Amino acid sequence: MPLNREQVLHGAMQLLDDVGLEALTLRTLAARLGVRAPTLYWHVKNKAELLDALADAIMDEAIATTPTPSAEEDSRLWLLAALSQFRTALLRHRDGARVVSGARYSMRRGDFTERAVATLVDHDVDLHQARLLVLAGERYTVGWVLEEQAPVPDTPETPDIEVEALKARFPMTTRAITEYFTVGRTADDLYEDIARLVLHLPPKNR
């Protein structure tokens, strides 16, 4: 059976998840699919086009799981839910945030943005304000996931960290971190709490 574009993209996503963005090349993808590299050029012109297509696929996942807004709902709460699904889609794939942030011609990311802005405007948010809120939310989410997916430094041994020395040097920061997490909050809670600040939403009742 001849290779089609859908098979190429499916194989590319699996390869991305297995080896990461740095090791993803058309040559390694061709080897994974059992074809010669020139065969792939019938479906993708180069690696940049392949990454744009992968970004579209990741955004498809985010869009498919974004809830339908209701007329009574605060549109910023809907946007928070949409951004949370965006984060989940990025995290589902190795280097997902790098793929999406580096895609220059991802039409599906544009679709996500358009829907978000239109939803806010439909809920009586000024167009300029809606665009800024969506942009801030998207860039916050991508930046957050970039840190979440950052590789652990390949060092021979973990450096010794004196906890008491950290407390002495950063007393307010260490106290704030300790107080935040000792009541059972998680990294997901932290993402949402900061997103609420970005979107000018009140803190979540806990």
Side-chain angles (χ1 to χ4, degrees), residues 20-171:
L21 183 57
E22 295 299 333
L24 172 62
T25 66
L26 291 180
R27 185 179 298 275
T28 56
L29 176 58
R32 170 69 68 93
L33 296 172
V35 299
R36 293 180 178 273
T39 303
L40 298 181
Y41 296 130
W42 289 98
H43 307 287
V44 289
K45 295 177 183 178
N46 47 46
K47 184 175 179 179
E49 183 178 307
L50 175 64
L51 294 181
D52 283 343
L54 292 180
D56 279 346
I58 293 172
M59 293 309 304
D60 278 340
E61 296 177 14
I63 291 169
T65 54
T66 297
T68 301
S70 65
E72 303 79 17
E73 182 181 20
D74 185 328
S75 59
R76 293 171 302 164
L77 283 174
W78 173 86
L79 179 56
L80 176 61
L83 291 171
S84 295
Q85 293 304 320
F86 180 29
R87 173 175 173 248
T88 298
L90 295 176
L91 286 172
R92 191 174 291 124
H93 300 285
R94 185 170 174 177
D95 294 327
R98 289 182 63 196
V99 171
V100 170
S101 64
R104 292 292 176 263
Y105 302 102
S106 171
M107 294 297 102
R108 292 301 278 158
R109 183 169 181 183
D111 289 337
F112 181 89
T113 300
E114 177 69 15
R115 182 184 181 190
V117 173
T119 297
L120 266 61
V121 171
D122 286 345
H123 285 72
D124 298 321
V125 178
D126 173 77
L127 175 60
H128 177 72
Q129 181 71 5
R131 172 61 182 136
L132 292 180
L133 282 172
V134 172
L135 182 62
E138 286 184 0
R139 293 196 174 181
Y140 159 67
T141 299
V142 170
W144 182 274
V145 179
L146 281 171
E147 287 205 7
E148 287 185 291
Q149 294 183 324
V152 177
D154 187 16
T155 55
E157 58 185 30
T158 303
D160 293 330
I161 299 177
E162 294 290 340
V163 176
E164 293 306 317
L166 285 179
K167 289 181 179 180
R169 183 168 181 172
F170 311 114

